[in-house]
Amino acid sequence: MSAADTPAANASALPTVVFLGAAPQHLALLDRVLGNGVRLSAAADWHALPHAAAAVVDAAVIEVADAAVNLALLLQAARERLPQAQLVFLGASRVLAQIRQKLILMGVLSEQWSFLKLEQPEQWPALLREAHSRAAKRRSLKLASPYGMARPAARPTITAAPRRELDSQYLASILQYAREAILFLDLDGCITFWNRAAAQLYGIARENVLGTPVEQLIAPSWREEHARMRQRILGGGEDVLCELEHLKADGTVLPVEQSLAAVRDWRGLVMGVAVIVRDISERLERERLQRERLEQAIAQVRMQALNEELERRVLERTAELTAANRELEAFSYSVSHDLRAPLRAIDGFSQALLEDYGEALDMAGREHLARVRRASQRMAELIDDLLNLSRITHSEMHRRSVNLSELAGQAAEHLRATQPQRPVTVVIVPDVIAHGDARLLQIALENLLGNAWKFTRKQADARIEFGMREQDGQPVYFVRDNGAGFDMAYADKLFGAFQRLHSPGEFEGHGIGLATVARIIARHGGRIWAEGAVGRGATFYFTLGGTGS
């Protein structure tokens, strides 16, 4: 039997694992998972390991209950007693993430370290076989040494480890108290470092986030892009500075600016990604306010330009209206003086002709002169109506509280005095108060009541009403009669100057009264309309610009 086939040789070919820990249940679990393919022994601590074990141990499984273990002393003991062994940390995922973070900061994280997660015992055999392979490779390299004896591979001196531990702790303290949120990610995108600013920014405690994937912090619409950026950096790409959206613990969207850069060990190998996050909510709010102020300023400039243009147009229009008013005043003066004098002459000389030479004229001649007189008198009345309409349109208004019921009563008394023989029932609702120009409103009511008086002439039981009703929260005043009425198809002609729906032989008038009322109502900011039917009377409604009670 050759030396290679001896039981001792076969035993030495098996992976040799030493368990350093105080939890017997973990040793039992390790023994059950590994089975007969591994030589497993246990030691309470490093002092229980003899120096001679260095030649036979492939992996030392170190149980870590928390991340407070002094890694500097642990590394020193490992180099003294197990210089060629693969160091394997056994613990919870969160604790292992913290251990990995500390090794990164110390600059000593390398392939000589392995990590067994208590939550994933099914992965232990493969990880320990890999540890045995690496340990065997290191021993073979030592046997090939030109000195013909085993010696440690080139690595930092033992006395440098405590110093490096102090430096890493100092760096970790600086990062912990940095103003920006800083986190480190491993090659799989899991969080291995989380400073206080990150905890405050996201509202997540350090112990609840270490070892978890960074995707939980990224808004869903940005997760794929964030993963692509990490892969580019891990592949040797340049650092990245970008703006995107993260998520707080309560799901609130957080706009941030983040920097991503590669994290390398003492040999220059990429071990993960460092992420610096800055909350840009206030900056974006300032930019939004600046945009709004700029838009308001632009709108104000445009509004000012528009106002200036409107003012210019108003001035031009005012000048045009002033010129038109002057022309109207000149026309009114001409009508009052230049036209009245000839009409008076025609009427006067016609009357003198009838008085002085009437006996010399036959009946037809006297009738012709009478028609001339009537025409000239009618022309004078039309001129008076036009002048009155012009005065109403351009006269100054004096608004005050007005009792429309009293004005309507005065108009009705005046009508009764002109025709005392007519039996007309006039109903006036008392104390109808409005706000407007008393003189103009009196003219409007005189025309409306006079219109009703005229068109009820043929009614034996003539009835005229004045009152008020509410419509859409606004007072609406009305004058109603049971007279001749009108066809609603011609209602748009009621308020035009010289527009008549009845012949002069049927009902007297010049067609100026309702036009005068319409202009008075318009000057008060109101509107007027009418409803009626032929032979069934008419009702005229009007408002006064929403004023009144």
Side-chain angles (χ1 to χ4, degrees):
M1 179 181 297
S2 65
D5 295 330
T6 63
N10 290 333
S12 63
L14 294 176
T16 303
V17 177
V18 174
F19 175 74
L20 297 172
Q25 67 271 21
H26 293 165
L27 175 62
L29 177 62
L30 189 65
D31 185 40
R32 183 169 63 255
V33 170
L34 298 181
N36 297 326
V38 174
R39 287 187 299 168
L40 179 64
S41 61
D45 53 35
W46 289 99
H47 299 290
L49 279 176
H51 288 274
V56 295
V57 175
D58 295 295
V61 178
I62 306 169
E63 179 188 30
V64 285
D66 57 58
V69 60
N70 190 326
L71 290 180
L73 294 179
L74 187 150
L75 295 178
Q76 184 173 354
R79 291 190 176 97
E80 289 177 353
R81 288 174 166 77
L82 304 173
Q84 294 299 313
Q86 183 83 5
L87 297 185
V88 181
F89 292 97
L90 172 65
S93 299
R94 185 175 300 133
V95 175
L96 296 181
Q98 297 176 31
I99 295 294
R100 183 189 294 268
Q101 171 189 331
K102 294 180 70 173
L103 292 173
I104 291 174
L105 294 176
M106 293 173 64
V108 296
L109 182 64
S110 67
E111 294 181 353
Q112 193 173 355
W113 320 114
S114 298
F115 301 90
L116 298 183
K117 298 179 181 179
L118 285 174
E119 299 87 350
Q120 299 174 347
E122 68 277 2
Q123 297 181 1
W124 294 1
L127 291 174
L128 289 175
R129 283 195 296 272
E130 183 180 358
H132 169 62
S133 175
R134 291 174 180 172
K137 181 178 180 181
R138 282 194 296 275
R139 281 196 298 271
S140 65
L141 290 175
K142 292 176 64 176
L143 291 174
S145 167
Y147 296 96
M149 60 179 295
R151 62 191 181 107
R155 62 177 64 191
T157 61
I158 295 176
T159 56
R163 175 71 182 188
R164 185 172 292 169
E165 169 76 0
L166 294 175
D167 291 343
S168 67
Q169 293 177 358
Y170 178 70
L171 177 60
S173 298
I174 294 176
L175 296 180
Q176 277 293 344
Y177 290 97
R179 295 180 60 183
E180 291 84 3
I182 300 176
L183 47 153
F184 291 170
L185 310 178
D186 62 15
L187 298 178
D188 297 324
C190 293
I191 300 171
T192 60
F193 179 82
W194 184 261
N195 71 348
R196 295 189 178 186
Q200 294 174 356
L201 179 62
Y202 293 96
I204 306 176
R206 178 172 176 268
E207 59 271 13
N208 295 330
V209 76
L210 290 178
T212 62
V214 73
E215 279 75 17
Q216 64 178 317
L217 305 178
I218 312 300
S221 59
W222 285 94
R223 287 173 182 170
E224 292 185 3
E225 178 62 23
H226 195 271
R228 284 194 291 269
M229 288 187 289
R230 296 199 310 269
Q231 292 304 318
R232 284 198 299 270
I233 291 174
L234 294 175
E238 296 182 352
D239 298 349
V240 176
L241 176 64
C242 63
E243 294 182 4
L244 68 162
E245 293 179 341
H246 283 195
L247 296 176
K248 290 187 176 182
D250 58 2
T252 303
V253 175
L254 178 69
V256 300
E257 177 187 78
Q258 71 170 17
S259 303
L260 292 90
V263 176
R264 302 177 183 274
D265 64 6
W266 61 277
R267 298 169 301 173
L269 299 178
V270 176
M271 306 303 298
V273 177
V275 183
I276 301 177
V277 181
R278 302 174 186 88
D279 183 1
I280 59 174
S281 301
E282 293 183 0
R283 193 199 78 192
L284 294 181
E285 180 64 17
R286 289 195 302 270
E287 292 176 353
R288 185 187 67 80
L289 294 176
Q290 290 174 355
R291 286 195 301 271
E292 289 184 355
R293 286 195 291 267
L294 179 60
E295 292 173 356
Q296 292 174 357
I298 294 174
Q300 187 174 2
V301 170
R302 291 176 177 173
M303 182 63 68
Q304 184 176 356
L306 179 59
N307 289 338
E308 292 175 354
E309 176 65 17
L310 291 176
E311 290 177 1
R312 183 185 64 80
R313 293 184 181 181
V314 167
L315 292 175
E316 292 177 356
R317 184 60 176 162
T318 302
E320 294 174 358
L321 291 175
T322 302
N325 287 335
R326 290 197 185 101
E327 294 177 0
L328 183 59
E329 291 173 0
F331 172 74
S332 299
Y333 180 84
S334 175
V335 169
S336 300
H337 297 83
D338 299 343
L339 294 182
R340 282 178 181 272
L343 289 174
R344 284 195 301 269
I346 293 173
D347 184 42
F349 281 111
S350 298
Q351 183 179 1
L353 187 59
L354 284 173
E355 291 176 354
D356 296 341
Y357 301 98
E359 295 180 358
L361 298 173
D362 57 10
M363 182 63 69
R366 288 193 297 271
E367 179 61 28
H368 290 332
L369 285 175
R371 293 181 65 181
V372 170
R373 287 199 66 199
R374 287 195 299 271
S376 62
Q377 291 170 3
R378 178 175 173 79
M379 186 63 182
E381 291 173 357
L382 287 174
I383 291 172
D384 290 338
D385 290 339
L386 282 174
L387 291 175
N388 290 331
L389 185 61
S390 176
R391 293 191 192 100
I392 289 172
T393 305
H394 299 90
S395 63
E396 185 177 357
M397 292 182 62
H398 301 280
R399 292 180 179 269
R400 62 181 178 84
S401 182
V402 181
N403 191 324
L404 296 183
S405 298
E406 292 181 358
L407 297 182
Q410 294 171 8
E413 289 300 321
H414 175 73
L415 291 170
R416 283 197 178 97
T418 59
Q419 293 180 312
Q421 73 283 0
R422 281 193 60 188
V424 179
T425 301
V426 179
V427 179
I428 298 175
V429 175
D431 297 326
V432 176
I433 307 301
H435 189 77
D437 186 285
R439 182 181 62 84
L440 294 180
L441 291 176
Q442 183 177 13
I443 295 172
L445 287 173
E446 287 176 353
N447 278 279
L448 288 173
L449 290 170
N451 193 69
W453 186 276
K454 176 173 60 177
F455 286 101
T456 57
R457 185 178 60 194
K458 298 180 180 181
Q459 296 293 330
D461 56 345
R463 180 182 177 88
I464 300 173
E465 301 177 29
F466 169 75
M468 184 196 74
R469 72 180 188 186
E470 290 285 337
Q471 181 175 318
D472 298 330
Q474 183 182 28
V476 177
Y477 313 98
F478 64 87
V479 174
R480 180 181 294 119
D481 66 71
N482 61 345
F486 63 92
D487 188 346
M488 286 293 291
Y490 303 101
D492 57 335
K493 295 183 178 181
L494 287 174
F495 304 103
F498 306 113
Q499 297 290 330
R500 292 177 54 83
L501 302 183
H502 301 85
S503 64
E506 188 178 7
F507 295 100
E508 71 279 1
H510 305 136
I512 292 295
L514 291 180
T516 301
V517 174
R519 294 200 181 187
I520 291 174
I521 299 304
R523 292 201 65 189
H524 283 80
R527 67 186 187 96
I528 185 170
W529 68 97
E531 297 175 357
V534 177
R536 300 179 60 182
T539 303
F540 288 84
Y541 301 95
F542 65 92
T543 64
L544 295 174
T547 61
S549 62

